Amino acid sequence: MGLSPGAVERVSRLWGKSAARNGGRRHVLLGHLLDTAAVAGLMWDQYLSRALRQRLDEISGGRGRLWFMWVCGIHDCGKACPAFQAVDAVEAAPVLAAGLTWGRLPTDRRKMWRHDVAGAALLKPRLVAEWGSEEAAGWVWPLVAGHHGAFPSVCGIEPQHREVQGRGAAWAEAQRAVVDVFTRAVGFEDLADVRPVGALRKAEQLALSGLIVMADWIASAGRMGRGLADAGLVSLDEAQRCMEEAWAGLRLRGGWRDLPLPQTRLAPLTDRLGVTARASQRELVERAWSMPVPGLMVAEAPMGEGKTKAAFAAAEVLAARFGLDGVFVAMPTQATSDPMYEQVLQWVRTFDPELESQVALLHGRRRFNAWWRAIWEGKPRPHSDADGDGDGDGDGDGCGCEGERAEAGPGAADGYDDFGGIEEDADYGMAPAEPSAGGGSPSGADGPAHWFLDNKRGLLSAFAVGTVDHLLHAATRTRHVMLRFAGLAGKVVIVDEVHAADVYMRQFLVEALRWLGQAGVPVVLLSATLPPAQRQLFVDAYLSGVLGTADVHQPVPEPAGYPCVTVAYGVGGRAVAETSREAVQSWRESMPVELAWLPDTEISGARVAKAVRESVADGGVVLVVVNQVARAQAVYDELREAGFDGDLHLLHARLCAAHRAERTEQCLRLMGPQAGADRPERMVVIATQLAEQSFDVDADVLITDLAPTDLLLQRIGRLHRHSGTRRPDAHRVPRVVVTGVAAGRDGVPRFLGASEAIYGTWSLLRAAALVTESAGSLPAAADAQSGHPRPGEGAGWSIPTDVPALVARAYGSDEICPAHWPEAEALEQGRAKERKREAKAEEFLLCRQREWAFPTLEGLHYAGSRAASQEQLDAVVRDGDPTVEAVIVRRVPGGYQAYEGTWLGAHGEVDDDEVTDRLMGGTIRLPARLTAAAQAELRPLPGWVDRPWLRYRLAMVLEDDGTARLGADRVSYDDVLGLVIERLVR
């Protein structure tokens, strides 16, 4: 290549991995670049989706694999600068001796020169010069500048001190040689030969950036302890041999890998899933066949209609047609994710049994899922069938989890946030978040890839099920967002219960849809109760991404009926939005539902308990859903103390993990689709919002606090849900008793304080107005004392026929409340609050609206992110104060016990996995008001330091009297009531 012997010597001395941080073996810089390129080649062959391979071929003139290897390998060229080479004094000595010298370097950490931006600084002018185009270079250099988690602006790659980048001819020659030697070694003639013939869109660039990070981390870990200090031993062939061995050890692979088209249009439903296709399911699958390009699909259908299995079938069609490699299924909560995970396991086995090990469950309590433990930790397989819901729908056999956050795994407290500082890449993307203790043989070719267990890597697995937070995180301007987004690109994304996202979360969902639309990722949104305005919002967001402009508005036609399917896509720069042109019959007939008022806004629950006793006087099953944990506990106490004659259950978010799982299983067994003769003669379940969705139970009577109309309809979806259920004669007609509201002055509704805090006044007023049309006006205050539900005066609601009209009216612009109700005032207050929440969300959105049309990733992280921990990030997308989990333990003479009595040892020592499981069954999420005190006062027990699952867990130690003090509160745990909080200071 015409390099002088001195230049060869200098380039050979540049180090990429120090002996101190690479298992005692120094590794030269060119070796690391070639290692990363070799990993990229393996990713192309065994991991990347066909869709992404095709795009890279398009922009590289048919040399996609070679170009992908180059762009991944070139990422660390910036380590050829003094700021990096001086970090390790031992490794710096031969560099200095070869003539690459430097003067005094800044010591202020804020002014230190990072090797990722150094790479962009040395590469950008060369790309512009040799490619002859600012535009061609403009989207490539940010991929180098951002490979440690954040994309700087062009101003950010200008060094403030010349010394840090390298001064003089020797440095300039060495830096040029590193780029040229690597480029030639990979297979290009020279740097000019690398020039792409086209450009990726910004969202595709973000996905590519995540894949560069992935390749970097794998290459770094694969060379641990096997570094090459002699540059003469470095070659692409050697790198490929070494990385092939490392890759095989990690068991990384893609998913479907060029999935063939189904043999018939409905085969994904009828043959693979074994269902008799319902009309609404057929329409969704037919739409997946007819869309000319990847797009957005919105399926709206009643609870129990089979939306989820239809979405699976549509995903297979979309993946086969457009070259996608897997699926991510986003659920509203951790608990709803578990049964969905088991459904996805069943589904992917039908393609290839080995794919089972490629299905990730993404939430912090997955350890308690028996199937996840069996697959990922080599535990015994569960004996029960994975999907016992029997109704063919994603409303399956799990329950919601009020107020839960997404994953906050044991590594979250570690605080690794040092990627790309001038230091080496020491931990290669953080230590694994969870151990593989108990896992199968690491040599098993079909075993799971534990590399994916880190909480930033989970979406990179071929198939994943998890909380919707993981999708929302991919739309936040946070470090390593590119890893999360790379895990979505190349997949079909299914979002179940999409209506569960509130106005704040919708900001991130809309942002995610923009990026997914631009990346060509098909998205399937599922909902039973979606307001038309939300449907339009989602369509416009996706099309904004497809067309690359911020202000797309493509009116969605009014659906011909319910169920319905809406699709949106772009063709030739034109937006298309279509919906069901013919009414599709639901699989079951509508049923009339009677509504009645039970005026009550007291937390005590006495009136609700009285109404419950009256409802089951002659037998029956009653589901009570209230909006406040304390109210649920109070209703339960009232019934228990009065000696309730029947089965009595309490479910809420302040139960520890084991108790909540046990009670959920009991409720599903006794009043689920397979209950049969086990269904009790008299049973009451008192729950909070966790019973609102994905809780597949059948009640005779529903007593519920007032909630916004769409959520009220979700609760009604638990009423007379299953055909063939035996019921007392008194409950032949479904009946809903609405409480949590009472008539105030002039008959204006007054609500529970908790309800107003959660939902706002306007949506509650609108819901009250719609209920009034059927149940009559709210009783006067004097009438409320009786506690008797007031019978309805109207025609009732017909479910599901009336669902879309009720939701549309509830969220429409027409006034529906009586004139003297403060509807207009509540609306303005609600809008003001929404504007504040939207402004707050914008601080963390991945891209501001006015910047959406920018063609590159340059400056994406212009304002950084204040979310430093997983808990803070969860709070960002959920618009709440951070919450924390704690493990309940009891102090006893001589040491500690787990919540259920298992002896732990003098310092909380845990000897084996079985004891760990029992101990972690006492995990509980504390309400937000206790977060500050918990973080300040709680610590892991000393005996947990060597247990990976426990070392970062906070212990809530209950003293001899069964209580603990947290800040201004006394907390205790009752095995029946759950967490009980008593305010000590007011």
Side-chain angles (χ1 to χ4, degrees):
M1 296 182 64
L3 292 175
S4 67
V8 171
E9 174 70 11
R10 288 188 285 272
V11 171
S12 299
R13 295 299 183 187
L14 293 172
W15 61 276
K17 302 292 176 185
S18 67
R21 300 237 182 144
N22 195 52
R25 298 289 296 273
R26 176 181 188 261
H27 193 45
V28 297
L29 176 56
L30 281 171
H32 175 59
L33 302 189
L34 289 171
D35 288 346
T36 311
V39 171
L42 291 165
M43 290 169 64
W44 180 278
D45 296 336
Q46 303 180 43
Y47 179 78
L48 296 191
S49 68
R50 173 164 53 90
L52 183 55
R53 299 198 307 270
Q54 288 174 342
R55 282 294 289 134
L56 290 173
D57 271 335
E58 289 172 9
I59 61 98
S60 64
R63 299 185 294 177
R65 186 179 189 273
L66 189 62
W67 197 89
F68 181 61
M69 292 174 64
W70 179 86
V71 78
C72 287
I74 201 66
H75 76 285
D76 257 354
C77 64
K79 287 185 174 179
C81 75
F84 181 84
Q85 294 296 312
V87 167
D88 186 298
V90 173
E91 306 295 356
V95 178
L96 290 166
L100 291 174
T101 60
W102 51 83
R104 184 175 181 179
L105 299 174
T107 57
D108 185 340
R109 187 174 186 80
R110 293 169 297 180
K111 296 181 180 179
M112 286 183 177
W113 191 231
R114 299 158 52 100
H115 72 260
D116 45 1
V117 295
L122 72 87
L123 194 61
K124 179 178 178 291
R126 286 208 59 192
L127 296 182
V128 172
E130 301 197 31
W131 291 359
S133 168
E134 288 274 0
E135 183 179 357
W139 69 271
V140 175
W141 70 258
L143 300 175
V144 174
H147 80 265
H148 279 294
F151 298 98
S153 66
V154 68
C155 298
I157 64 170
E158 293 293 332
Q160 296 181 0
H161 304 277
R162 288 183 57 192
E163 201 69 42
V164 295
Q165 184 71 359
R167 187 197 301 264
W171 271 111
E173 184 182 35
Q175 290 167 349
R176 187 178 186 89
V178 166
V179 173
D180 290 343
V181 171
F182 166 74
T183 299
R184 180 81 67 87
V186 168
F188 287 101
E189 292 183 9
D190 51 32
L191 190 59
D193 189 33
V194 181
R195 177 179 173 170
V197 298
L200 293 179
R201 307 183 80 190
K202 182 163 63 176
E204 295 169 328
Q205 296 167 31
L206 188 65
L208 175 57
S209 176
L211 296 172
I212 292 171
V213 175
M214 179 178 176
D216 180 20
W217 289 358
I218 293 171
S220 296
R223 188 58 76 169
M224 179 65 70
R226 299 192 290 177
L228 297 177
D230 182 355
L233 300 177
V234 171
S235 70
L236 182 60
D237 287 342
E238 189 281 333
Q240 288 172 331
R241 287 192 297 269
C242 183
M243 292 302 110
E244 283 172 0
E245 181 181 342
W247 179 273
L250 291 175
R251 291 174 288 186
L252 300 176
R253 56 160 289 177
W256 281 314
R257 304 298 294 164
D258 301 323
L259 183 68
L261 287 170
Q263 293 184 346
T264 65
R265 296 178 78 85
L266 290 181
L269 264 177
T270 57
D271 298 350
R272 188 172 306 286
L273 293 169
V275 302
T276 301
R278 297 166 180 165
S280 61
Q281 295 174 317
R282 285 196 302 270
E283 183 179 15
L284 189 65
V285 176
E286 288 290 351
R287 288 284 187 171
W289 279 106
S290 65
M291 279 197 304
V293 292
L296 173 71
M297 309 180 75
V298 185
E300 299 170 62
M303 293 70 73
E305 184 74 16
K307 296 185 293 293
T308 302
K309 287 188 176 177
F312 289 169
E316 179 181 348
V317 173
L318 293 168
R321 291 186 62 213
F322 301 122
L324 289 315
D325 199 43
V327 171
F328 172 55
V329 183
M331 301 298 294
T333 61
Q334 293 179 357
T336 55
S337 299
D338 283 337
M340 182 58 65
Y341 172 68
E342 295 169 28
Q343 287 191 51
V344 172
L345 284 176
Q346 276 198 326
W347 178 51
V348 300
R349 289 188 201 111
T350 65
F351 296 94
D352 180 351
E354 289 189 4
L355 287 179
E356 175 187 75
S357 64
Q358 308 304 314
V359 184
L361 178 61
L362 305 181
H363 67 67
R365 293 184 179 178
R366 57 190 169 193
R367 181 182 173 92
F368 299 108
N369 184 286
W371 277 103
W372 186 86
R373 294 289 302 277
I375 293 169
W376 287 81
E377 292 191 349
K379 301 293 184 183
R381 294 299 176 97
H383 296 294
S384 60
D385 185 76
D387 178 15
D389 63 357
D391 71 348
D393 187 46
D395 288 345
D397 54 354
C399 73
C401 238
E402 174 199 11
E404 286 202 339
R405 307 296 188 206
E407 174 179 25
D414 236 358
Y416 290 109
D417 196 26
D418 218 10
F419 306 104
I422 59 167
E423 296 89 347
E424 294 177 66
D425 316 319
D427 300 294
Y428 315 134
M430 302 193 345
E434 295 157 13
S436 57
S441 170
S443 61
D446 62 344
H450 290 105
W451 189 87
F452 291 130
L453 287 178
D454 180 88
N455 58 17
K456 291 184 180 180
R457 303 175 190 163
L459 280 175
L460 291 165
S461 56
F463 303 92
V465 179
T467 51
V468 71
D469 301 59
H470 290 269
L471 173 61
L472 306 182
H473 290 167
T476 57
R477 194 173 56 249
T478 48
R479 293 186 72 84
H480 292 101
V481 66
M482 68 284 290
L483 269 178
R484 303 182 195 275
F485 193 78
L488 297 173
K491 287 185 174 67
V492 180
V493 173
I494 299 172
V495 187
D496 203 2
E497 311 275 11
V498 71
H499 53 266
D502 64 15
V503 64
Y504 181 88
M505 294 172 65
R506 279 199 297 273
Q507 305 299 309
F508 295 98
L509 180 55
V510 163
E511 180 73 357
L513 289 174
R514 287 196 191 102
W515 286 82
L516 293 173
Q518 189 173 85
V521 175
V523 179
V524 185
L525 305 180
L526 307 178
S527 178
T529 54
L530 191 63
Q534 286 190 36
R535 183 196 308 134
Q536 184 68 61
L537 179 68
F538 297 151
V539 165
D540 287 345
Y542 190 87
L543 290 174
S544 290
V546 170
L547 300 182
T549 183
D551 54 356
V552 172
H553 178 66
Q554 182 64 31
V556 177
E558 185 70 23
Y562 177 75
C564 64
V565 175
T566 300
V567 297
Y569 53 88
V571 177
R574 180 176 61 90
V576 177
E578 302 169 342
T579 193
S580 300
R581 294 182 292 272
E582 297 179 2
V584 176
Q585 189 66 33
S586 177
W587 73 279
R588 62 180 178 184
E589 296 295 325
S590 275
M591 60 182 181
V593 176
E594 293 181 355
L595 284 86
W597 286 118
L598 175 62
D600 177 38
T601 57
E602 301 296 327
I603 296 178
S604 67
R607 294 173 192 161
V608 174
K610 182 178 180 181
V612 168
R613 286 191 293 268
E614 292 172 350
S615 296
V616 294
D618 297 320
V621 175
V622 174
L623 174 63
V624 180
V625 183
V626 295
N627 297 340
Q628 190 175 12
V629 172
R631 183 163 157 88
Q633 292 171 326
V635 173
Y636 183 92
D637 257 343
E638 286 278 344
L639 291 169
R640 179 175 60 171
E641 292 174 5
F644 179 76
D645 181 19
D647 284 57
L648 185 60
H649 300 268
L650 177 65
L651 278 173
H652 57 72
R654 294 183 197 165
L655 294 170
C656 70
H659 287 160
R660 184 164 53 197
E662 291 167 4
R663 295 187 200 177
T664 299
E665 189 279 328
Q666 288 175 348
C667 292
L668 293 167
R669 177 173 54 83
L670 296 174
M671 56 190 295
Q674 309 299 323
D678 290 337
R679 195 173 196 259
E681 294 294 329
R682 183 179 286 104
M683 177 176 176
V684 175
V685 176
I686 300 137
T688 52
Q689 291 95 326
L690 58 81
E692 199 166 81
Q693 57 200 10
S694 298
F695 189 46
D696 192 17
V697 297
D698 185 329
D700 299 322
V701 178
L702 171 68
I703 300 177
T704 174
D705 281 345
L706 186 69
T709 304
D710 54 334
L711 303 183
L712 188 61
L713 289 165
Q714 287 288 327
R715 298 178 188 186
I716 293 174
R718 317 302 134 193
L719 192 61
H720 286 229
R721 183 179 177 87
H722 304 134
S723 59
T725 301
R726 58 181 180 86
R727 310 181 196 281
D729 290 339
H731 301 309
R732 292 298 176 189
V733 177
R735 186 162 174 264
V736 179
V737 177
V738 182
T739 186
V741 58
R745 182 179 302 176
D746 298 327
V748 175
R750 51 186 177 86
F751 308 108
L752 281 168
S755 299
E756 285 195 287
I758 296 168
Y759 303 119
T761 304
W762 181 77
S763 62
L764 293 174
L765 284 172
R766 305 275 287 191
L770 292 174
V771 173
T772 296
E773 294 177 359
S774 179
S777 59
L778 273 166
D783 299 331
Q785 300 304 317
S786 68
H788 295 284
R790 175 170 174 164
E793 299 171 355
W797 290 349
S798 181
I799 304 297
T801 298
D802 289 346
V803 167
L806 287 167
V807 174
R809 292 182 64 202
Y811 292 96
S813 57
D814 294 341
E815 293 184 0
I816 61 175
C817 297
H820 63 287
W821 289 14
E823 181 179 7
E825 179 185 347
L827 175 61
E828 183 52 40
Q829 290 175 349
R831 284 178 174 170
K833 184 176 180 180
E834 286 186 7
R835 286 192 291 268
K836 289 181 179 179
R837 298 178 78 193
E838 289 172 357
K840 180 180 177 183
E842 188 176 348
E843 297 176 12
F844 295 97
L845 288 178
L846 184 51
C847 186
R848 290 184 176 178
Q849 189 173 21
R850 62 180 178 271
E851 298 158 352
W852 174 244
F854 290 5
T856 79
L857 297 170
E858 184 258 319
L860 190 66
H861 286 82
Y862 64 93
S865 171
R866 295 194 299 270
S869 69
Q870 189 70 28
E871 289 88 349
Q872 288 175 319
L873 184 56
D874 296 337
V876 162
V877 297
R878 294 273 183 171
D879 189 26
D881 296 325
T883 61
V884 297
E885 286 187 334
V887 180
I888 300 169
V889 296
R890 303 183 189 277
R891 195 190 306 274
V892 294
Y896 300 90
Q897 289 180 343
Y899 76 103
E900 37 66 271
T902 298
W903 170 252
L904 300 179
H907 303 288
E909 296 88 345
V910 177
D911 297 330
D912 55 37
D913 281 355
E914 183 179 347
V915 174
T916 299
D917 286 348
R918 290 202 295 270
L919 173 62
M920 289 189 64
T923 301
I924 191 165
R925 186 165 290 280
L926 302 176
R929 83 185 220 205
L930 299 181
T931 297
Q935 291 175 332
E937 301 171 23
L938 302 185
R939 296 288 183 274
L941 293 183
W944 296 354
V945 66
D946 295 324
R947 303 295 296 184
W949 274 97
L950 293 171
R951 65 173 62 139
Y952 302 112
R953 297 284 180 176
L954 302 178
M956 188 170 73
V957 181
L958 303 181
E959 304 296 342
D960 292 342
D961 62 354
T963 70
R965 173 103 182 233
L966 271 180
D969 296 280
R970 177 183 289 118
V971 298
S972 60
Y973 189 83
D974 183 280
D975 287 345
V976 177
L977 295 178
L979 187 71
V980 178
I981 304 171
E982 177 189 358
R983 195 72 169 174
L984 297 177
V985 180
R986 296 188 181 277

